[in-house]
């Protein structure tokens, strides 16, 4: 039965070859019968065998209808872009005008997803059969997948225009315009440009965007020409500001354009018709003199024309004022503290800034504070619009806050207000981002769409992986039904950026491989986006990577790292070795799980031993592996006692405490410190070890813990009590003598003074600074996503716990002075000379306290494992002992006072 499908196909192919059926004998029913056979092929899972049979048949019978159809369906069912055989079949029947079969074949292709060739063919079928409504419906689908098609888009626009559906017509004309720009078809785009002037002249932002693309892709002169054709609408409607802006854009491209220069003078005359010095300023700026640089002339004129009686101005020292009068070359200004101040026009132009009547500084001067405060709090959008425009139509959150706090809002009021403001800036279409500064906002003349706002964000981003995140957000929005789809011109430009990264590749780096993974992911959702001229296979690109670790570690996007590992697992034979190699750069359970599924516990154990042997430098992956896998079966089967794992984690706890004290990678080490602390004490792994282990092992673990000087003393007390409950006669080395010193330990005067200074600095400097950091972070609003606030609060917890610990230790510490040291035996403040019987070498140690401990320089704490073994020993004593599975054999040669 398993051979039935293949047998049937072979029979059909042979029958076709011997009977030589003509095209005229084929009907749609013949293909439906082939579909029934294909269902059996899929049911039996014999696709590969049948495809091979068909491909072999086509080598000597290239126009076999059955082989072309079956192989074509099998290819396209795999979501590949190989539609060659079905397209060839369509062409055969189209040439013979068998339109019903052509339509069937096209629809068969479309069952597996949108396809440009199939849609175009189907539209031709409907056209030949005069089914125009169906043809237009297929065209609407076609233009969503064929981004190069412009003429059909235009015809759809004309049809909508014919039926009076002008809003949809405008949308199609806009798409057609962009596509003609890409084709550099100026005559076509000019005709569409005129249609848009007819139906949507007010959408200046669209025209400006299109104009800039035309200037880059065709020529500045063509862009200028089109702006000249848009200009009359605004002149005729006396929209002087927009008319002037259009003329400035023309003059930007063509500074010597006589038409634009003459027109801008006339527009200024119309706009400032009531200004008392209009003609004087036109003459003064040489605006209508061709020898004067037009841009300098415009700047001069606009600076002068803004000086007129009744206008508001600002002086950096005297604040806001109002112009009382202008007489010849004299300007009189009323400032709040300087009424009737007179200055020359030249001085006024150079030292005063003109303010609009609705400028925030003007409102602060003429409105009562309570009225302005109420307006700002009650109308967030108005306030944002006012502040942003007052800042030259470009302001970030920091600048907005500076304008409002504390002159209008209190810091507490700002916290609540800024959360609303951030939401408005993000979602309100009236506000957009500057294309070169993502964190700066502007007020738009026309509402901005989500896709344009996203595109502006994409262009402004400098980091490659930020752009990956932005296009992912755009795709998520499409899938949520937020916008029409991938036929957006903005999406196409973003997508082409990543496709461009795959062209002419000489070196495969993190950007190349990430572009490959992203493009593959997108075309998996939208196969019609496949750039057919590119090889998008993973393995050839992977094999060109020269430094795998270096490339992988710099893939910042977690999803892309995950996809990279998935491809590695499926396509690379030595993937277990590569997983072990890459684990430190991708701390993810997927790596562990895949190795477990493949029963490669040998690689997991290799990974652990590799990290354990270098846990100081590989601390983060080692800590992750221990915390997340210590209960796994493979971990418990390691040929390593759990005691050694605890010893390494305790050592890392001490190292991270030291790095934090030394301000080395503080945030990073705090994070690791919390993870280790949680594993050892919160998860009760040390406590469980004490409950199960032998007394000697407990001694080793407890002495290591007691030597971590920054650990909370309450943890030591709790562990000590647990040990005593199990072993009432347990000997805590080094603590017998210390118990005579109240509840504390012994230290030197210098260490005691340093700790006092440290506590004083924390209380008087660092805590107040931290309070300021918290208040500043609160001002940023949105505490759930406020990284500055979280970091400041973590710092607060750290400072409070450190201060409490220092205070307790200072209260319980006993200061030992040099003249109080006794040298009859090894004790605090002595230097002991030893003979090492195992090596034959002489060794010298200075015995001090935990605050002075410096093992690298042979200064050890009397509470440390070695210090406790030496403590109270006299010259001539022979000592043999073991610490952490290492044996020691010493003779005490001499004991003398240490310098401290």
């Amino acid at each position: 039965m398993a051979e039935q499908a293949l047998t049937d196909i072979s029979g059909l192919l042979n029958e076709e070859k011997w009977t030589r059926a003509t095209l005229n004998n084929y009907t749609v029913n013949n293909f439906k019968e082939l579909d029934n056979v294909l269902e059996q092929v899929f049911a039996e899972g014999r696709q590969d065998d049948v495809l091979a049979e068909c491909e072999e048949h086509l080598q000597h019978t290239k126009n076999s209808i059955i082989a072309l159809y079956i192989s074509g369906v099998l290819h396209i069912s795999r979501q590949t872009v190989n539609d060659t055989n079905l397209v060839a079949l369509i062409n055969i029947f189209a040439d013979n005008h068998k339109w019903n079969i052509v339509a069937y074949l096209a629809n068969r292709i479309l069952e597996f997803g949108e396809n440009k060739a199939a849609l175009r063919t189907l539209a031709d079928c409907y056209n030949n059969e005069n089914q125009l409504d169906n043809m237009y419906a297929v065209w609407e689908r076609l233009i969503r997948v064929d981004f190069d098609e412009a003429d059909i888009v235009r015809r759809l626009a004309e049809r909508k225009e014919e039926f009076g559906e002008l809003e949809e017509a405008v949308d199609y004309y806009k798409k057609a315009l962009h596509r003609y720009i890409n084709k550099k078809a100026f005559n076509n785009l000019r005709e569409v440009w005129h249609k848009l002037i007819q139906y949507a002249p007010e959408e200046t932002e669209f025209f400006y965007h299109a104009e800039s693309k035309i200037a880059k892709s065709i020529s500045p002169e063509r862009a200028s020409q089109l702006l000249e054709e848009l200009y009359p609408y605004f002149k005729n409607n006396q929209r002087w500001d927009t008319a002037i802006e259009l003329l400035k854009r023309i003059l930007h491209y063509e500074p010597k354009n006589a038409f634009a220069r003459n027109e801008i003078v006339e527009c200024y005359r119309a706009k400032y018709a009531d200004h008392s010095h209009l003609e004087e300023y036109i003459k003064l700026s040489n605006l209508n003199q061709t020898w004067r640089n037009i841009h300098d002339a415009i700047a001069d004129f606009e600076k002068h024309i803004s000086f007129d009686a009744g206008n508001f101005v600002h002086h950096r020292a005297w604040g806001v004022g109002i112009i009382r009068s202008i007489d010849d070359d004299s300007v009189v200004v009323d400032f709040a503290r300087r009424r009737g101040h007179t200055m020359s026009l030249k001085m006024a132009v150079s030292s005063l800034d003109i303010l609009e009547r609705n400028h925030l500084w003007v409102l602060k001067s003429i409105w009562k504070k309570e009225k302005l405060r109420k307006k700002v709090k009650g109308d967030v959008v108005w306030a944002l619009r006012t502040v942003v425009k007052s800042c030259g139509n470009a302001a970030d959150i920091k600048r907005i806050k500076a304008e409002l706090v504390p002159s209008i809002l209190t810091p507490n009021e700002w916290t609540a207000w800024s959360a609303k403001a951030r939401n408005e800036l993000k979602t309100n279409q009236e506000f957009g981002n500057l294309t070169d500064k993502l964190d700066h906002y502007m007020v738009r003349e026309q509402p901005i769409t989500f896709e344009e706002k996203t595109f502006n964000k994409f262009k402004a981003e400098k980091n490659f992986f930020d752009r990956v995140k932005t296009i992912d957000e755009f795709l998520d929005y499409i899938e949520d039904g937020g916008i029409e789809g991938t036929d957006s011109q903005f999406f196409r430009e973003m997508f082409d950026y990543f496709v461009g990264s795959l062209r002419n590749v000489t070196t495969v780096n993190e950007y190349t491989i990430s572009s490959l993974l992203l493009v593959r992911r997108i075309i998996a959702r939208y196969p019609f986006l496949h750039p057919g001229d590119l090889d998008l296979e993973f393995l050839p690109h992977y094999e060109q990577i020269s430094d795998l670790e270096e490339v992988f570690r710099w893939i910042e996007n977690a999803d892309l790292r995950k996809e990279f590992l998935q491809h590695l697992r499926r396509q690379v034979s030595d993937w277990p070795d590569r997983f072990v190699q890459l684990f430190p750069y991708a701390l993810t359970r997927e790596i562990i799980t895949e190795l477990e599924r493949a029963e490669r516990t040998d690689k997991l154990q290799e990974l652990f031993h590799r990290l354990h042997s270098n846990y100081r430098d590989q601390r983060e992956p080692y800590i992750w592996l221990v915390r997340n896998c210590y209960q796994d079966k493979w971990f418990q089967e390691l040929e390593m006692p759990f005691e050694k794992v605890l010893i390494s984690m305790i050592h890392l706890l001490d190292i991270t405490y030291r790095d934090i004290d030394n301000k080395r990678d503080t945030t990073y080490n705090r994070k690791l410190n919390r993870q280790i602390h949680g594993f050892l004490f919160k998860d009760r792994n040390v406590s469980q070890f004490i409950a199960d282990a032998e007394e000697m092992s407990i001694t080793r673990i407890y002495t290591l813990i007691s030597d971590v000087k920054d650990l909370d003393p309450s943890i030591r007390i709790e562990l000590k009590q647990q040990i005593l409950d199990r072993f009432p006669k347990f000997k805590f080395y080094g603590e017998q003598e210390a118990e005579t010193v109240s509840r504390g330990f012994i230290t030197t005067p210098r260490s005691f003074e340093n700790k006092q200074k440290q506590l004083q600095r924390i209380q008087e400097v660092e805590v107040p600074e931290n309070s300021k950091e918290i208040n500043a972070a609160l001002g940023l609003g949105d505490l759930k996503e406020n990284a500055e606030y979280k970091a400041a609060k973590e710092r607060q917890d750290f400072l409070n716990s450190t201060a409490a610990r220092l205070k307790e230790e200072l209260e319980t510490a006993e200061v030992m002075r040099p003249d109080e040291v006794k040298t009859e035996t090894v004790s605090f403040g002595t230097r002991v000379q030893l003979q090492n019987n195992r090596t034959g070498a002489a060794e010298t140690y200075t015995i001090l306290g935990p605050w002075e401990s410096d093992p690298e320089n042979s200064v050890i704490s009397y509470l440390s494992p070695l210090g406790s073994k030496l403590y109270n020993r006299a010259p001539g004593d022979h000592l043999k002992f073991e610490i952490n599975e290492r044996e020691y054999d010493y003779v005490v040669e001499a004991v003398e006072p240490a310098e401290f």
Side-chain angles (χ1 to χ4, degrees):
M1 186 67 183
E3 297 289 335
Q4 187 62 46
L6 186 58
T7 301
D8 289 347
I9 297 292
S10 297
L12 289 169
L13 291 172
N14 285 326
E15 182 182 348
E16 179 191 44
K17 182 168 62 175
W18 291 113
T19 60
R20 300 185 183 277
T22 64
L23 290 176
N24 289 332
N25 294 333
Y26 274 95
T27 66
V28 168
N29 286 332
N30 294 126
F31 290 100
K32 289 182 177 179
E33 290 172 2
L34 291 176
D35 286 335
N36 292 332
V37 177
L38 277 167
E39 285 183 14
Q40 190 175 352
V41 172
F42 286 115
E44 295 177 9
R46 301 303 300 274
Q47 296 95 313
D48 290 342
D49 295 332
V50 170
L51 184 59
E53 178 84 5
C54 290
E55 296 289 359
E56 192 273 334
H57 185 78
L58 285 169
Q59 288 181 9
H60 51 77
T61 313
K62 65 178 182 178
N63 288 330
S64 166
I65 303 300
I66 294 173
L68 286 171
Y69 183 72
I70 290 175
S71 62
V73 172
L74 290 175
H75 273 301
I76 206 162
S77 68
R78 298 180 174 183
Q79 295 297 312
T80 68
V81 293
N82 188 357
D83 57 3
T84 308
N85 289 351
L86 283 176
V87 170
L89 196 57
I90 284 173
N91 291 335
I92 290 171
F93 283 98
D95 290 343
N96 286 272
H97 306 290
K98 302 278 284 184
W99 299 116
N100 58 335
I101 293 178
V102 171
Y104 182 84
L105 295 174
N107 278 311
R108 193 72 172 95
I109 294 174
L110 294 171
E111 289 177 16
F112 298 95
E114 298 292 66
N115 179 286
K116 288 184 280 189
L119 287 168
R120 197 175 292 278
T121 298
L122 190 58
D124 290 342
C125 288
Y126 288 137
N127 185 37
N128 287 317
E129 296 175 3
N130 204 30
Q131 298 181 32
L132 296 184
D133 287 342
N134 287 338
M135 180 189 73
Y136 281 111
V138 172
W139 276 357
E140 288 181 355
R141 293 166 61 188
L142 173 62
I143 64 168
R144 293 193 182 101
V145 299
D146 189 347
F147 298 105
D148 295 324
E149 179 54 62
D151 292 335
I152 289 177
V153 180
R154 181 177 176 180
R155 290 180 65 180
L156 286 168
E158 290 167 347
R159 180 176 173 82
K160 294 294 183 182
E161 181 185 0
E162 179 184 345
F163 283 97
E165 299 171 8
L166 296 183
E167 186 174 342
E168 292 179 272
V170 167
D171 287 339
Y172 280 123
Y173 277 128
K174 287 179 178 178
K175 282 186 174 68
L177 183 75
H178 278 298
R179 295 184 183 195
Y180 282 132
I181 293 172
N182 293 338
K183 288 175 172 288
K184 300 183 180 180
F186 180 74
N187 290 333
N188 299 87
L189 78 86
R190 185 183 180 201
E191 292 169 0
V192 173
W193 182 275
H194 280 246
K195 284 289 185 181
L196 289 169
I197 292 174
Q198 180 182 349
Y199 292 119
E202 300 289 344
E203 296 193 33
T204 52
E205 294 290 345
F206 171 82
F207 285 112
Y208 294 158
H209 177 69
E211 156 240 312
S212 64
K213 287 185 65 178
I214 292 165
K216 290 177 182 176
S217 63
I218 301 178
S219 74
E221 292 76 20
R222 291 300 195 186
S224 176
Q225 178 183 344
L226 294 174
L227 290 175
E228 284 188 26
E229 293 166 2
L230 175 61
Y231 163 73
Y233 170 84
F234 293 98
K235 179 183 179 181
N236 295 337
N237 286 277
Q238 299 183 7
R239 297 279 298 281
W240 305 120
D241 287 336
T242 307
I244 289 168
E245 173 61 25
L246 286 168
L247 292 168
K248 286 181 179 179
R249 286 174 174 268
I250 294 169
L251 290 164
H252 168 72
Y253 296 123
E254 297 181 291
K256 297 187 181 298
N257 187 307
F259 166 80
R261 185 158 196 154
N262 292 332
E263 286 295 314
I264 203 168
V265 174
E266 295 308 312
C267 285
Y268 281 136
R269 283 196 170 109
K271 179 179 179 180
Y272 297 108
D274 297 330
H275 197 287
S276 57
H277 295 75
L278 172 63
E279 293 302 326
E280 179 185 348
Y281 292 156
I282 289 176
K283 183 178 179 181
L284 185 65
S285 62
N286 294 303
L287 189 59
N288 51 8
Q289 300 297 318
T290 56
W291 57 265
R292 179 82 196 275
N293 178 286
I294 185 60
H295 304 298
D296 293 341
I298 289 172
D300 273 1
F301 173 79
E302 291 188 344
K303 184 74 172 177
H304 282 83
I305 199 67
S306 56
F307 283 88
D308 200 9
N311 286 354
F312 287 92
V313 295
H314 180 266
H315 188 277
R316 64 170 181 258
W318 306 324
V320 175
I322 186 169
I323 299 175
R324 183 194 297 175
S325 64
I326 299 178
D327 185 17
D328 294 328
D329 191 40
S330 178
V331 179
V332 180
V333 184
D334 284 336
F335 295 101
R337 299 191 188 91
R338 204 178 183 93
R339 299 283 178 176
H341 180 73
T342 303
M343 59 176 67
S344 67
L345 178 60
K346 184 176 180 181
M347 177 63 72
V349 168
S350 63
S351 63
L352 300 178
D353 294 315
I354 296 295
L355 304 181
E356 296 289 338
R357 190 168 292 273
N358 59 356
H359 194 288
L360 184 64
W361 295 353
V362 174
L363 297 180
K364 286 181 180 180
S365 301
I366 64 177
W367 284 19
K368 290 184 179 180
K369 181 177 179 179
E370 186 55 34
K371 176 184 176 182
L372 186 55
R373 176 175 166 274
K374 186 176 180 180
K375 180 66 174 174
V376 168
K377 290 184 67 177
D379 193 340
V380 175
V381 174
W382 174 89
L384 285 171
R385 189 188 309 120
T386 301
V387 175
V388 172
K389 283 193 170 183
S390 298
C391 297
N393 206 21
D396 58 3
I397 287 291
K398 186 177 180 181
R399 177 68 187 275
I400 294 170
K401 181 180 181 182
E403 294 294 339
L404 297 178
V405 181
S407 58
I408 299 173
L409 300 176
T410 66
N412 287 338
E413 289 173 331
W414 164 261
T415 301
W417 187 91
S418 64
K420 299 176 185 177
R422 288 172 189 272
N423 186 58
E424 290 291 347
L425 291 169
K426 184 177 180 180
T427 61
N428 193 316
Q429 292 187 345
E430 186 175 346
F431 302 104
N433 300 88
L434 296 188
T435 55
D436 58 341
K437 291 182 180 179
L438 270 181
D439 57 344
H440 282 63
Y441 302 93
M442 60 180 290
V443 180
R444 298 267 303 197
E445 288 187 23
Q446 282 98 32
I448 186 171
T449 62
F450 172 84
E451 54 187 323
E452 186 178 352
K453 183 176 281 192
T454 305
F455 179 65
N456 288 341
K457 177 182 176 184
F458 184 89
K459 286 198 300 182
E461 279 160 340
K462 302 295 186 285
N463 181 282
F464 174 90
F465 292 101
D466 287 340
R467 290 188 166 187
V468 171
K469 182 180 177 182
T470 299
I471 198 171
D472 278 339
E473 290 172 355
F474 191 92
L475 290 166
D476 290 342
Y477 197 76
I478 290 175
E479 293 194 345
D480 291 340
I483 54 179
E484 186 174 351
T486 55
D487 59 328
S488 158
Q489 180 65 29
F490 296 115
F491 170 77
R492 186 66 185 184
E493 290 189 34
M494 290 189 285
F495 180 68
D496 285 346
Y497 168 81
F498 296 104
V499 172
S501 299
L502 298 172
R503 298 192 186 278
N504 303 317
V505 174
T506 56
T507 303
V508 175
N509 55 26
E510 62 271 22
Y511 306 122
T512 312
I513 205 73
S514 295
S515 294
L516 174 74
L517 295 170
L518 179 65
V519 170
R520 285 179 59 91
R521 186 204 303 163
I522 291 173
I523 63 173
R525 292 194 226 177
Y526 310 104
F528 54 83
L529 289 173
H530 194 294
D533 60 330
L534 283 181
D535 177 10
L536 297 180
E537 292 302 314
F538 173 80
L539 194 57
H541 288 81
Y542 169 80
E543 290 172 345
Q544 293 182 57
I545 296 175
S546 58
D547 189 335
L548 181 62
E549 289 183 36
E550 187 68 15
V551 168
F552 186 77
R553 71 183 296 185
W554 290 113
I555 299 177
E556 297 176 17
N557 184 280
D559 290 335
L560 293 179
R561 283 202 302 271
K562 183 176 179 180
E563 290 169 27
F564 184 94
L565 292 171
Q566 289 170 347
H567 284 289
L568 200 63
R569 171 69 177 89
R570 289 194 296 265
Q571 301 184 44
V572 179
S573 59
D574 65 343
W575 68 268
D577 293 314
R578 304 290 74 79
F579 270 32
V580 170
Q581 181 184 1
L582 297 178
F583 177 79
Y585 312 106
L587 306 181
T588 171
R589 188 77 201 186
E590 280 84 355
I591 288 181
I592 307 300
T593 302
E594 284 299 327
L595 289 169
E596 286 177 324
R597 284 177 183 161
E599 299 182 354
R600 296 304 305 268
T601 55
D602 59 319
K603 290 299 174 183
L604 288 168
Q605 293 177 355
E606 176 189 329
L607 172 62
F608 174 81
H609 288 297
R610 179 183 293 187
L611 293 175
H612 182 268
S613 64
N614 196 26
Y615 66 78
R616 292 171 183 82
D617 295 327
Q618 297 272 17
R619 61 184 71 175
E620 185 172 15
Y622 179 73
I623 292 166
W624 189 99
L625 197 64
V626 171
R627 290 177 65 237
N628 290 278
C629 300
Y630 75 99
Q631 292 181 326
D632 292 358
K633 182 180 177 182
W634 68 267
F635 194 100
Q636 294 174 359
E637 293 174 352
L638 287 169
E639 295 180 1
M640 177 178 289
F642 191 61
E643 178 185 346
K644 283 195 172 183
V645 176
L646 288 178
I647 288 171
S648 63
M649 293 292 274
I650 295 166
H651 187 203
L652 284 173
L653 183 72
D654 188 43
I655 290 173
T656 53
Y657 270 130
R658 290 174 184 269
D659 285 344
I660 292 168
D661 284 344
N662 294 326
K663 296 183 173 19
R664 186 182 298 125
D665 294 330
T666 308
T667 302
Y668 171 73
N669 279 296
R670 278 204 195 111
K671 179 186 77 171
L672 299 185
N673 185 274
R674 286 195 300 270
Q675 293 174 356
I676 302 167
H677 196 282
F679 172 80
L680 293 173
F681 307 116
K682 186 177 180 180
D683 297 342
R684 303 192 65 78
N685 280 301
V686 172
S687 182
Q688 186 61 48
F689 182 83
I690 291 172
D692 300 335
E694 297 178 355
E695 186 173 354
M696 183 58 70
S697 295
I698 294 172
T699 300
R700 289 192 288 267
I701 292 298
Y702 181 79
T703 51
L704 284 173
I705 290 173
S706 65
D707 209 33
V708 180
K709 60 182 180 179
D710 288 327
L711 188 64
D712 185 347
S714 65
I715 293 175
R716 294 194 192 94
I717 294 170
E718 181 182 339
L719 294 176
K720 183 176 180 180
Q721 186 58 52
Q722 184 184 354
I723 294 170
L724 290 173
D725 288 343
R726 190 170 173 218
F727 301 104
K729 296 183 179 180
F730 189 89
K731 183 178 181 182
F732 296 93
Y733 292 104
E735 294 194 3
Q736 298 89 337
E737 293 81 1
E739 287 173 357
T740 62
V741 188
S742 183
R743 295 181 294 109
F745 53 85
I746 309 171
T747 187
T748 66
R750 180 182 298 173
S751 294
F752 190 83
E753 182 181 352
N754 288 340
K755 292 294 181 181
Q756 284 181 316
K757 290 179 179 178
Q758 183 182 351
L759 177 60
Q760 182 180 6
R761 174 173 173 77
I762 290 173
Q763 292 174 330
E764 296 180 4
V765 179
E766 296 186 39
V767 168
E769 287 179 354
N770 177 247
S771 297
K772 291 179 182 178
E773 291 173 358
I774 292 174
N775 288 333
L778 282 170
L780 298 175
D782 193 7
L783 299 186
K784 291 182 181 179
E785 299 182 3
N786 192 330
E788 292 87 351
Y789 177 75
K790 291 177 182 177
K793 289 296 290 182
E794 288 179 5
R795 176 71 175 160
Q796 184 185 57
D797 294 341
F798 171 75
L799 291 173
N800 289 340
S801 62
T802 303
R805 175 175 53 78
L806 284 172
K807 189 174 181 182
E808 180 181 355
E809 290 176 349
L810 286 167
E811 289 174 351
T812 58
E814 178 175 306
V815 177
M816 174 75 77
R817 304 187 183 284
D819 57 4
E820 297 174 328
V821 173
K822 297 178 180 179
T823 57
E824 290 81 5
T825 60
V826 177
S827 60
F828 185 95
T830 62
R831 181 186 290 109
V832 56
Q833 298 178 20
L834 305 171
Q835 176 67 33
N836 189 328
N837 293 332
R838 296 179 66 83
T839 65
E843 297 179 14
T844 302
Y845 295 98
T846 299
I847 310 299
L848 295 173
W851 281 351
E852 297 82 21
S853 178
D854 185 5
E856 292 183 2
N857 292 310
S858 299
V859 179
I860 62 174
S861 168
Y862 69 95
L863 298 175
S864 68
L866 179 58
S868 62
K869 294 290 187 182
L870 299 176
Y871 206 86
N872 223 22
R873 302 296 182 172
D877 285 355
H878 185 189
L879 310 175
K880 284 187 176 182
F881 52 87
E882 182 180 299
I883 298 175
N884 294 334
E885 299 182 354
R886 178 183 173 186
E887 294 182 353
Y888 294 82
D889 187 347
Y890 286 128
V891 172
V892 180
E893 296 285 346
V895 179
E896 59 187 26
E899 295 181 4
F900 62 89

